[in-house]
Amino acid sequence: MSTIVQKYGGSSVADIEKLKKIARIIASVKQQGHDVVTVVSAMGKTTNQLIEMAKSLSPNPERRELDMLLSTGERITMALLCIALNDLGIRAISLTGSQAGIITNDRYNDASVIEVRPFRVQDELAKGQVVVIGGFQGVSYKRDITTLGRGGSDTSAVALAAALNAERCEIYSDVDGVYTADPNLIKDAKHLTEISYEQIQEMAEAGAKVLNAQAVQFAKKAKIAIYARSTFDSVRETIVREMAPTGKLEIIGVVQENEIAKITFIKKDIRNHLKDFFTLLDEKNIAVKELHYNQNHSFESENILFVISKKNIHNWNEVKKELQTNYKKDILIDETLGAVSIIGEGFSRDNKTIIETLDLLNLNKIKFFGLTTTSFRLSLLVKTDKLTDVVELLHNYWIK
């Protein structure tokens, strides 16, 4: 009997009527003869509401207690869904992330899954039950409850699919798959029927909300296809799978991220301070992206420049204040920028994409404040008030 892992996002489980609809979908899959594991997010905006409650008590909630609080959102959903399934005659049991064997590091608010021990899940499947698991959460090797950051339910689902050797992993949301840009911003965004692991991972890292980057990494390693679907529209889907390189330049999307900060650390003897600097960042659960180190030949000035994503840093104002207190004039923090990324393949084969993109920005009198490339991505930093304009400009130019 094949195993199918499904994940339903917050918009899909936002109210009781939607939970009833999902219960009917799951019942149909179970009645087709599949073992079913369902991973659920918190209902609607529950997670945001819990964060607001915590911050009404303290501007900087202790991270461990915040994880304990946030993990309750998914528990509500999983219990209600099991009640709905049992009412339909489908035997179902709810499990927390820790009960399901999702083991993480001890990085509160943005933990990484390091291992999945699905013994309890397998036992319940063997009894013929549908297993409903609270996503976005696990347990650290210190036995503390942890959460996986925004989009963490995707990671829960794909990590479980890999551990269970599932036939496939289906990710349900309010969007019917992956588009060439955010369809809520770009009316001409095109639907993609399939996309490679590498391309969707670059999209996720660059700010696209369709899938979690760590989830894609699990899928890639286990070679599990991800089916991105809409809970409310079954006409289309996007399949994320292994795809052979085309050997040519190909651009498939433009994505944006506005919750970022550009940090520049300037110091004459910077190399002697880097360990302490990055240790502080690590203690604050801050992951660094797009790191650049610069020096001149006389070593009179050295600096590092990097970008961080603020979306999982719930105590950002406290972190920023501590950095500014510790390093004073040696650190510059710019929160006026957003990132726009062109996603595709073959960017490292020549400079065509860079040259034409820079010409386009210059023609439209748009300044940029940072540029990085990989084989699958070209990213620019621009002022946040220009972010949507740049996405639309690049999408109209590159997406044919």
Side-chain angles (χ1 to χ4, degrees), residues 268-290:
K268 182 176 180 180
D269 54 346
I270 196 170
R271 285 171 291 179
N272 297 327
H273 298 270
L274 287 183
K275 181 180 178 180
D276 290 341
F277 182 71
F278 285 111
T279 297
L280 174 61
L281 293 178
D282 198 56
E283 289 172 351
K284 301 298 181 182
N285 285 9
I286 296 179
V288 170
K289 300 197 297 184
E290 313 293 358

PDB file of all heavy atoms in Angstrom, residues 268-290:
ATOM      1  N   LYS A 268      39.129  48.134  10.560  1.00  0.00           N
ATOM      2  CA  LYS A 268      40.472  48.004   9.992  1.00  0.00           C
ATOM      3  C   LYS A 268      41.013  46.593  10.170  1.00  0.00           C
ATOM      4  O   LYS A 268      41.562  46.002   9.247  1.00  0.00           O
ATOM      5  CB  LYS A 268      41.412  49.023  10.641  1.00  0.00           C
ATOM      6  CG  LYS A 268      42.826  48.996  10.071  1.00  0.00           C
ATOM      7  CD  LYS A 268      43.678  50.084  10.694  1.00  0.00           C
ATOM      8  CE  LYS A 268      45.088  50.055  10.115  1.00  0.00           C
ATOM      9  NZ  LYS A 268      45.947  51.109  10.713  1.00  0.00           N
ATOM     10  N   ASP A 269      40.883  46.031  11.361  1.00  0.00           N
ATOM     11  CA  ASP A 269      41.382  44.677  11.637  1.00  0.00           C
ATOM     12  C   ASP A 269      40.211  43.709  11.751  1.00  0.00           C
ATOM     13  O   ASP A 269      40.107  42.932  12.693  1.00  0.00           O
ATOM     14  CB  ASP A 269      42.204  44.667  12.924  1.00  0.00           C
ATOM     15  CG  ASP A 269      41.433  45.252  14.111  1.00  0.00           C
ATOM     16  OD1 ASP A 269      40.388  45.888  13.864  1.00  0.00           O
ATOM     17  OD2 ASP A 269      41.870  45.060  15.260  1.00  0.00           O
ATOM     18  N   ILE A 270      39.345  43.742  10.766  1.00  0.00           N
ATOM     19  CA  ILE A 270      38.068  43.039  10.835  1.00  0.00           C
ATOM     20  C   ILE A 270      38.219  41.531  11.044  1.00  0.00           C
ATOM     21  O   ILE A 270      37.404  40.896  11.715  1.00  0.00           O
ATOM     22  CB  ILE A 270      37.244  43.327   9.556  1.00  0.00           C
ATOM     23  CG1 ILE A 270      35.776  42.940   9.766  1.00  0.00           C
ATOM     24  CG2 ILE A 270      37.829  42.633   8.356  1.00  0.00           C
ATOM     25  CD1 ILE A 270      34.866  43.421   8.654  1.00  0.00           C
ATOM     26  N   ARG A 271      39.286  40.953  10.488  1.00  0.00           N
ATOM     27  CA  ARG A 271      39.439  39.495  10.591  1.00  0.00           C
ATOM     28  C   ARG A 271      39.596  39.028  12.031  1.00  0.00           C
ATOM     29  O   ARG A 271      39.269  37.897  12.366  1.00  0.00           O
ATOM     30  CB  ARG A 271      40.637  39.045   9.740  1.00  0.00           C
ATOM     31  CG  ARG A 271      40.335  39.056   8.247  1.00  0.00           C
ATOM     32  CD  ARG A 271      41.556  38.817   7.421  1.00  0.00           C
ATOM     33  NE  ARG A 271      42.483  39.940   7.505  1.00  0.00           N
ATOM     34  CZ  ARG A 271      43.662  39.997   6.887  1.00  0.00           C
ATOM     35  NH1 ARG A 271      44.054  38.976   6.167  1.00  0.00           N
ATOM     36  NH2 ARG A 271      44.421  41.065   6.992  1.00  0.00           N
ATOM     37  N   ASN A 272      40.084  39.900  12.891  1.00  0.00           N
ATOM     38  CA  ASN A 272      40.234  39.538  14.301  1.00  0.00           C
ATOM     39  C   ASN A 272      38.920  39.602  15.070  1.00  0.00           C
ATOM     40  O   ASN A 272      38.857  39.176  16.224  1.00  0.00           O
ATOM     41  CB  ASN A 272      41.263  40.468  14.981  1.00  0.00           C
ATOM     42  CG  ASN A 272      42.642  40.336  14.385  1.00  0.00           C
ATOM     43  OD1 ASN A 272      43.039  39.259  13.955  1.00  0.00           O
ATOM     44  ND2 ASN A 272      43.377  41.440  14.336  1.00  0.00           N
ATOM     45  N   HIS A 273      37.892  40.144  14.423  1.00  0.00           N
ATOM     46  CA  HIS A 273      36.606  40.331  15.104  1.00  0.00           C
ATOM     47  C   HIS A 273      35.488  39.476  14.505  1.00  0.00           C
ATOM     48  O   HIS A 273      34.391  39.438  15.055  1.00  0.00           O
ATOM     49  CB  HIS A 273      36.188  41.805  15.038  1.00  0.00           C
ATOM     50  CG  HIS A 273      37.133  42.734  15.724  1.00  0.00           C
ATOM     51  ND1 HIS A 273      37.018  43.081  17.053  1.00  0.00           N
ATOM     52  CD2 HIS A 273      38.241  43.380  15.252  1.00  0.00           C
ATOM     53  CE1 HIS A 273      38.005  43.908  17.377  1.00  0.00           C
ATOM     54  NE2 HIS A 273      38.746  44.107  16.305  1.00  0.00           N
ATOM     55  N   LEU A 274      35.777  38.806  13.407  1.00  0.00           N
ATOM     56  CA  LEU A 274      34.713  38.101  12.696  1.00  0.00           C
ATOM     57  C   LEU A 274      34.094  36.977  13.514  1.00  0.00           C
ATOM     58  O   LEU A 274      32.867  36.789  13.518  1.00  0.00           O
ATOM     59  CB  LEU A 274      35.243  37.545  11.369  1.00  0.00           C
ATOM     60  CG  LEU A 274      35.492  38.587  10.269  1.00  0.00           C
ATOM     61  CD1 LEU A 274      35.945  37.903   8.999  1.00  0.00           C
ATOM     62  CD2 LEU A 274      34.243  39.413  10.008  1.00  0.00           C
ATOM     63  N   LYS A 275      34.927  36.213  14.231  1.00  0.00           N
ATOM     64  CA  LYS A 275      34.380  35.091  14.990  1.00  0.00           C
ATOM     65  C   LYS A 275      33.376  35.585  16.035  1.00  0.00           C
ATOM     66  O   LYS A 275      32.265  35.043  16.156  1.00  0.00           O
ATOM     67  CB  LYS A 275      35.493  34.293  15.667  1.00  0.00           C
ATOM     68  CG  LYS A 275      34.963  33.108  16.455  1.00  0.00           C
ATOM     69  CD  LYS A 275      36.080  32.321  17.119  1.00  0.00           C
ATOM     70  CE  LYS A 275      35.509  31.173  17.952  1.00  0.00           C
ATOM     71  NZ  LYS A 275      36.571  30.375  18.625  1.00  0.00           N
ATOM     72  N   ASP A 276      33.757  36.616  16.799  1.00  0.00           N
ATOM     73  CA  ASP A 276      32.857  37.147  17.821  1.00  0.00           C
ATOM     74  C   ASP A 276      31.589  37.724  17.187  1.00  0.00           C
ATOM     75  O   ASP A 276      30.483  37.567  17.720  1.00  0.00           O
ATOM     76  CB  ASP A 276      33.562  38.231  18.641  1.00  0.00           C
ATOM     77  CG  ASP A 276      34.644  37.671  19.548  1.00  0.00           C
ATOM     78  OD1 ASP A 276      34.611  36.455  19.815  1.00  0.00           O
ATOM     79  OD2 ASP A 276      35.522  38.447  19.965  1.00  0.00           O
ATOM     80  N   PHE A 277      31.757  38.387  16.045  1.00  0.00           N
ATOM     81  CA  PHE A 277      30.632  39.000  15.360  1.00  0.00           C
ATOM     82  C   PHE A 277      29.613  37.946  14.919  1.00  0.00           C
ATOM     83  O   PHE A 277      28.413  38.053  15.204  1.00  0.00           O
ATOM     84  CB  PHE A 277      31.140  39.790  14.150  1.00  0.00           C
ATOM     85  CG  PHE A 277      30.072  40.512  13.384  1.00  0.00           C
ATOM     86  CD1 PHE A 277      29.445  41.630  13.915  1.00  0.00           C
ATOM     87  CD2 PHE A 277      29.696  40.080  12.123  1.00  0.00           C
ATOM     88  CE1 PHE A 277      28.458  42.308  13.203  1.00  0.00           C
ATOM     89  CE2 PHE A 277      28.713  40.747  11.412  1.00  0.00           C
ATOM     90  CZ  PHE A 277      28.102  41.858  11.946  1.00  0.00           C
ATOM     91  N   PHE A 278      30.093  36.894  14.258  1.00  0.00           N
ATOM     92  CA  PHE A 278      29.175  35.870  13.772  1.00  0.00           C
ATOM     93  C   PHE A 278      28.652  34.982  14.900  1.00  0.00           C
ATOM     94  O   PHE A 278      27.549  34.430  14.797  1.00  0.00           O
ATOM     95  CB  PHE A 278      29.841  35.035  12.678  1.00  0.00           C
ATOM     96  CG  PHE A 278      29.946  35.759  11.370  1.00  0.00           C
ATOM     97  CD1 PHE A 278      31.164  36.163  10.869  1.00  0.00           C
ATOM     98  CD2 PHE A 278      28.801  36.074  10.650  1.00  0.00           C
ATOM     99  CE1 PHE A 278      31.259  36.844   9.675  1.00  0.00           C
ATOM    100  CE2 PHE A 278      28.872  36.757   9.449  1.00  0.00           C
ATOM    101  CZ  PHE A 278      30.105  37.150   8.964  1.00  0.00           C
ATOM    102  N   THR A 279      29.414  34.855  15.976  1.00  0.00           N
ATOM    103  CA  THR A 279      28.904  34.131  17.145  1.00  0.00           C
ATOM    104  C   THR A 279      27.703  34.851  17.731  1.00  0.00           C
ATOM    105  O   THR A 279      26.699  34.226  18.100  1.00  0.00           O
ATOM    106  CB  THR A 279      30.003  33.983  18.218  1.00  0.00           C
ATOM    107  OG1 THR A 279      31.079  33.203  17.684  1.00  0.00           O
ATOM    108  CG2 THR A 279      29.458  33.288  19.459  1.00  0.00           C
ATOM    109  N   LEU A 280      27.782  36.184  17.804  1.00  0.00           N
ATOM    110  CA  LEU A 280      26.653  36.968  18.293  1.00  0.00           C
ATOM    111  C   LEU A 280      25.436  36.784  17.399  1.00  0.00           C
ATOM    112  O   LEU A 280      24.312  36.584  17.887  1.00  0.00           O
ATOM    113  CB  LEU A 280      27.033  38.455  18.368  1.00  0.00           C
ATOM    114  CG  LEU A 280      25.901  39.434  18.730  1.00  0.00           C
ATOM    115  CD1 LEU A 280      25.331  39.108  20.109  1.00  0.00           C
ATOM    116  CD2 LEU A 280      26.392  40.873  18.676  1.00  0.00           C
ATOM    117  N   LEU A 281      25.637  36.837  16.091  1.00  0.00           N
ATOM    118  CA  LEU A 281      24.531  36.638  15.166  1.00  0.00           C
ATOM    119  C   LEU A 281      23.907  35.257  15.347  1.00  0.00           C
ATOM    120  O   LEU A 281      22.674  35.101  15.334  1.00  0.00           O
ATOM    121  CB  LEU A 281      25.000  36.811  13.720  1.00  0.00           C
ATOM    122  CG  LEU A 281      25.430  38.212  13.295  1.00  0.00           C
ATOM    123  CD1 LEU A 281      25.907  38.190  11.847  1.00  0.00           C
ATOM    124  CD2 LEU A 281      24.302  39.215  13.454  1.00  0.00           C
ATOM    125  N   ASP A 282      24.754  34.252  15.529  1.00  0.00           N
ATOM    126  CA  ASP A 282      24.252  32.892  15.696  1.00  0.00           C
ATOM    127  C   ASP A 282      23.453  32.747  16.986  1.00  0.00           C
ATOM    128  O   ASP A 282      22.431  32.064  17.026  1.00  0.00           O
ATOM    129  CB  ASP A 282      25.414  31.897  15.687  1.00  0.00           C
ATOM    130  CG  ASP A 282      24.949  30.478  15.415  1.00  0.00           C
ATOM    131  OD1 ASP A 282      24.292  30.260  14.381  1.00  0.00           O
ATOM    132  OD2 ASP A 282      25.223  29.587  16.250  1.00  0.00           O
ATOM    133  N   GLU A 283      23.905  33.386  18.034  1.00  0.00           N
ATOM    134  CA  GLU A 283      23.180  33.355  19.313  1.00  0.00           C
ATOM    135  C   GLU A 283      21.800  33.996  19.186  1.00  0.00           C
ATOM    136  O   GLU A 283      20.874  33.653  19.922  1.00  0.00           O
ATOM    137  CB  GLU A 283      23.988  34.072  20.395  1.00  0.00           C
ATOM    138  CG  GLU A 283      25.232  33.313  20.848  1.00  0.00           C
ATOM    139  CD  GLU A 283      26.103  34.138  21.771  1.00  0.00           C
ATOM    140  OE1 GLU A 283      25.834  35.357  21.921  1.00  0.00           O
ATOM    141  OE2 GLU A 283      27.055  33.580  22.338  1.00  0.00           O
ATOM    142  N   LYS A 284      21.671  34.916  18.237  1.00  0.00           N
ATOM    143  CA  LYS A 284      20.395  35.602  18.015  1.00  0.00           C
ATOM    144  C   LYS A 284      19.564  34.928  16.926  1.00  0.00           C
ATOM    145  O   LYS A 284      18.558  35.475  16.485  1.00  0.00           O
ATOM    146  CB  LYS A 284      20.645  37.066  17.625  1.00  0.00           C
ATOM    147  CG  LYS A 284      21.414  37.875  18.665  1.00  0.00           C
ATOM    148  CD  LYS A 284      20.659  37.962  19.967  1.00  0.00           C
ATOM    149  CE  LYS A 284      21.416  38.787  20.994  1.00  0.00           C
ATOM    150  NZ  LYS A 284      20.696  38.829  22.294  1.00  0.00           N
ATOM    151  N   ASN A 285      19.989  33.743  16.493  1.00  0.00           N
ATOM    152  CA  ASN A 285      19.264  32.991  15.463  1.00  0.00           C
ATOM    153  C   ASN A 285      19.201  33.726  14.127  1.00  0.00           C
ATOM    154  O   ASN A 285      18.202  33.660  13.411  1.00  0.00           O
ATOM    155  CB  ASN A 285      17.835  32.662  15.913  1.00  0.00           C
ATOM    156  CG  ASN A 285      17.789  31.546  16.936  1.00  0.00           C
ATOM    157  OD1 ASN A 285      18.821  31.108  17.437  1.00  0.00           O
ATOM    158  ND2 ASN A 285      16.601  31.085  17.261  1.00  0.00           N
ATOM    159  N   ILE A 286      20.277  34.430  13.786  1.00  0.00           N
ATOM    160  CA  ILE A 286      20.306  35.183  12.530  1.00  0.00           C
ATOM    161  C   ILE A 286      21.186  34.465  11.520  1.00  0.00           C
ATOM    162  O   ILE A 286      22.389  34.308  11.729  1.00  0.00           O
ATOM    163  CB  ILE A 286      20.824  36.619  12.749  1.00  0.00           C
ATOM    164  CG1 ILE A 286      19.868  37.382  13.653  1.00  0.00           C
ATOM    165  CG2 ILE A 286      20.987  37.335  11.414  1.00  0.00           C
ATOM    166  CD1 ILE A 286      20.300  38.790  13.958  1.00  0.00           C
ATOM    167  N   ALA A 287      20.565  34.019  10.439  1.00  0.00           N
ATOM    168  CA  ALA A 287      21.299  33.378   9.349  1.00  0.00           C
ATOM    169  C   ALA A 287      21.696  34.440   8.326  1.00  0.00           C
ATOM    170  O   ALA A 287      20.914  35.339   8.014  1.00  0.00           O
ATOM    171  CB  ALA A 287      20.447  32.308   8.692  1.00  0.00           C
ATOM    172  N   VAL A 288      22.902  34.337   7.819  1.00  0.00           N
ATOM    173  CA  VAL A 288      23.458  35.333   6.902  1.00  0.00           C
ATOM    174  C   VAL A 288      23.306  34.864   5.463  1.00  0.00           C
ATOM    175  O   VAL A 288      23.534  33.699   5.141  1.00  0.00           O
ATOM    176  CB  VAL A 288      24.943  35.568   7.235  1.00  0.00           C
ATOM    177  CG1 VAL A 288      25.612  36.406   6.168  1.00  0.00           C
ATOM    178  CG2 VAL A 288      25.076  36.237   8.596  1.00  0.00           C
ATOM    179  N   LYS A 289      22.909  35.786   4.576  1.00  0.00           N
ATOM    180  CA  LYS A 289      22.819  35.500   3.142  1.00  0.00           C
ATOM    181  C   LYS A 289      23.681  36.495   2.372  1.00  0.00           C
ATOM    182  O   LYS A 289      23.908  37.604   2.819  1.00  0.00           O
ATOM    183  CB  LYS A 289      21.372  35.628   2.658  1.00  0.00           C
ATOM    184  CG  LYS A 289      20.388  34.699   3.338  1.00  0.00           C
ATOM    185  CD  LYS A 289      19.087  34.574   2.559  1.00  0.00           C
ATOM    186  CE  LYS A 289      18.322  35.847   2.437  1.00  0.00           C
ATOM    187  NZ  LYS A 289      17.015  35.668   1.767  1.00  0.00           N
ATOM    188  N   GLU A 290      24.141  36.075   1.222  1.00  0.00           N
ATOM    189  CA  GLU A 290      24.842  36.963   0.292  1.00  0.00           C
ATOM    190  C   GLU A 290      26.027  37.670   0.954  1.00  0.00           C
ATOM    191  O   GLU A 290      26.155  38.897   0.905  1.00  0.00           O
ATOM    192  CB  GLU A 290      23.883  38.016  -0.283  1.00  0.00           C
ATOM    193  CG  GLU A 290      22.562  37.484  -0.778  1.00  0.00           C
ATOM    194  CD  GLU A 290      22.670  36.594  -1.995  1.00  0.00           C
ATOM    195  OE1 GLU A 290      23.798  36.409  -2.506  1.00  0.00           O
ATOM    196  OE2 GLU A 290      21.649  36.062  -2.434  1.00  0.00           O
TER     197      GLU A 290
END
